[in-house]
Amino acid sequence: MPSSTSSSEPPKGIVKREGALPAGLRLTASDRPGQAQPVPTRDIPKQPWGQIMIAVVLALVLGVVALEANAKRLWLRAGDLDNSEVAWIKERARSEAAGVAIVGDSRILFDTDLDRFEALTGMRPVQLAIHGTSALTLLEDVASNEAFRGVLIVGLSDTMFFQPFDGYGEYVRRRHDFMSPSGQISAEIDHIIQRRFAFLDSNHRMSVVAHRLDPDFRAGVEGPKHDIWKVQEVGEHRQTWLWPRVEYDPAVRARSRWAWKGFKEKYPYTPQLIAKGHARAKAAVSKIRARGGEVVFVRPPSAIQLRVNEEAQVPKAKGWDALLRNTHSVGVHADDLPQAQNLILPEFSHLNRKCATVFTDAYVRRLTELTPRLKLRGKAPAALQAADCNPAVKRS
């Protein structure tokens, strides 16, 4: 029996079954005069959904396999993590309770083997160096961190230490901008996936590769071909090495060498600029020591092709020697280490992975002789020499 408030029969002009319409044609509000129903409805066609799902999964698997195969062709590997701002910020937080931390530019970043350091001293340093960034900026950042009271190793290349700009130092000063929950979660998810898949390398993503297809933007303007492309591999806790392809692929190696442009900087290293750097360094070192910390300096090697220009711009006597003297610090210069001679610098500026271990072994042993804050373990491994990484060198 029809209800007194609503009709059990559809209004005139409204069909009961959508089947009255051609198959697949949806009913809309215009087909239902007098009835408020803004959401259209239509039949869901019968499909072999199980087979479709299997086909999608199969296509996904094949796509990932193809991407991984291409990544292997490009010398990429799973476990090569993005060296992101979030990763650096996490390490900075860890450094507050660390016995040893390292700051500097890409040379001390690439040329320090954290495992070897720990094997020699029993202490694993926190790696805070940033590529393309003045060690002076990072030294001042540690000086501002009242919680740090350990040994700070400052690795430097002379020109970059005294340069008038600080590279990526801006995100050091703006680190709080990268500490949002969403940013940290995104970085963690990224690393979880990168530990398992190689094709997610940030230097070979579509947006980056497409940008580099343009040989140049316009005459006189540096385009993507002038950028520093992939030269590093990054492991857990920012352990960083030179990318093996730079060492073994002649084309990639040549391009990397060309990108450094011989370290022929376009701005003058005036006496005033160098003096300002010394004053900043002295203030930062004094601040760290005042609260019980210590600072030592390390100058990693560079090939003669770059060294000649570095020396011309910031002579060792005015840069390195004066820095140690003015800050009353000890330091290890690659020139003064017999074990650091004849090491392999594929693109002139950074050691290959094996030679980075040899250099770490050499400079850490020397530091244990210069400061009581670092001690060589009784069960430390035997000393390394250049022959351990360079087949052209005879073992002594």
Side-chain angles (χ1 to χ4, degrees):
M1 179 177 180
S3 169
S4 60
T5 58
S6 63
S7 174
S8 60
E9 297 295 328
K12 185 178 180 180
I14 301 301
V15 296
K16 293 184 179 180
R17 296 173 55 251
E18 195 165 329
L21 295 174
L25 182 62
R26 66 182 183 179
L27 289 176
T28 65
S30 63
D31 299 307
R32 303 178 176 86
Q35 187 179 33
Q37 188 172 349
V39 180
T41 62
R42 64 180 174 185
D43 293 335
I44 298 177
K46 292 184 178 180
Q47 297 289 350
W49 297 113
Q51 297 178 24
I52 291 176
M53 182 176 293
I54 293 173
V56 169
V57 172
L58 182 60
L60 177 62
V61 171
L62 290 175
V64 170
V65 170
L67 288 170
E68 283 295 285
N70 184 61
K72 185 176 182 179
R73 179 185 66 84
L74 295 172
W75 295 56
L76 305 178
R77 67 173 186 86
D80 185 358
L81 310 178
D82 281 347
N83 188 11
S84 65
E85 295 89 347
V86 174
W88 184 87
I89 290 168
K90 288 176 62 177
E91 292 306 294
R92 186 185 187 277
R94 289 182 60 242
S95 73
E96 295 183 352
V100 184
I102 300 173
V103 298
D105 49 64
S106 60
R107 287 185 185 162
I108 198 69
L109 178 65
F110 288 28
D111 297 352
T112 296
D113 184 335
L114 302 181
D115 289 338
R116 189 69 181 184
F117 196 114
E118 185 176 19
L120 291 170
T121 66
M123 304 172 69
R124 189 174 186 85
V126 174
Q127 183 58 273
L128 297 177
I130 302 175
H131 63 280
T133 301
S134 171
L136 183 53
T137 296
L138 297 169
L139 168 61
E140 290 177 323
D141 178 70
V142 174
S144 70
N145 186 352
E146 294 292 337
F148 181 80
R149 289 174 169 78
V151 177
L152 183 67
I153 299 174
V154 182
L156 60 98
S157 58
D158 313 79
T159 53
M160 191 163 288
F161 188 87
F162 294 100
Q163 67 187 7
F165 58 90
D166 55 8
Y168 293 96
E170 184 62 23
Y171 81 62
V172 174
R173 291 185 290 272
R174 294 175 50 238
R175 59 183 176 274
H176 296 291
D177 295 351
F178 304 100
M179 296 175 64
S180 66
S182 61
Q184 296 185 57
I185 292 172
S186 176
E188 286 298 327
I189 293 174
D190 204 27
H191 282 186
I192 289 172
I193 300 175
Q194 285 180 330
R195 290 185 183 102
R196 293 159 177 80
F197 298 103
F199 72 88
L200 293 174
D201 187 280
S202 60
N203 282 274
H204 287 82
R205 291 173 179 171
M206 183 63 71
S207 58
V208 176
V209 175
H211 178 66
R212 293 172 179 169
L213 292 176
D214 188 346
D216 215 336
F217 290 134
R218 62 182 185 272
V221 178
E222 291 191 354
K225 75 173 185 178
H226 297 276
D227 293 341
I228 306 300
W229 293 4
K230 183 176 176 65
V231 292
Q232 66 186 21
E233 283 189 349
V234 183
E236 301 294 337
H237 296 295
R238 302 185 72 247
Q239 168 67 78
T240 306
W241 309 274
L242 185 71
W243 188 28
R245 190 174 179 183
V246 176
E247 180 177 5
Y248 296 111
D249 186 321
V252 174
R253 181 170 63 248
R255 199 217 167 275
S256 299
R257 291 176 175 178
W258 173 83
W260 300 132
K261 299 177 179 62
F263 274 39
K264 297 177 182 179
E265 306 296 352
K266 300 178 181 178
Y267 44 81
Y269 285 87
T270 62
Q272 294 79 10
L273 180 63
I274 294 176
K276 182 180 179 181
H278 284 309
R280 290 170 59 192
K282 183 176 181 179
V285 171
S286 297
K287 193 172 182 179
I288 293 172
R289 287 179 178 154
R291 60 174 182 258
E294 181 57 287
V295 180
V296 298
F297 292 88
V298 175
R299 205 294 188 180
S302 55
I304 188 62
Q305 290 86 346
L306 302 183
R307 182 68 184 278
V308 63
N309 294 321
E310 293 175 303
E311 185 69 20
Q313 295 171 96
V314 183
K316 183 181 176 184
K318 296 181 178 180
W320 174 262
D321 294 342
L323 180 64
L324 298 188
R325 184 172 60 252
N326 292 340
T327 59
H328 306 288
S329 301
V330 299
V332 180
H333 198 292
D335 290 353
D336 303 325
L337 290 174
Q339 305 92 328
Q341 310 310 307
N342 301 309
L343 300 182
I344 299 174
L345 294 145
E347 34 71 90
F348 302 151
S349 190
H350 306 94
L351 297 167
N352 69 7
R353 185 167 180 173
K354 287 185 177 181
C355 285
T357 300
V358 173
F359 177 66
T360 302
D361 185 90
Y363 89 69
V364 171
R365 289 178 186 276
R366 180 61 179 143
L367 284 178
T368 62
E369 298 171 356
L370 296 174
T371 173
R373 298 287 292 268
L374 293 175
K375 299 183 183 299
L376 202 63
R377 293 177 60 201
K379 296 182 179 180
L384 300 176
Q385 51 185 286
D388 290 304
C389 71
N390 188 349
V393 177
K394 292 184 178 180
R395 187 175 296 277
S396 59

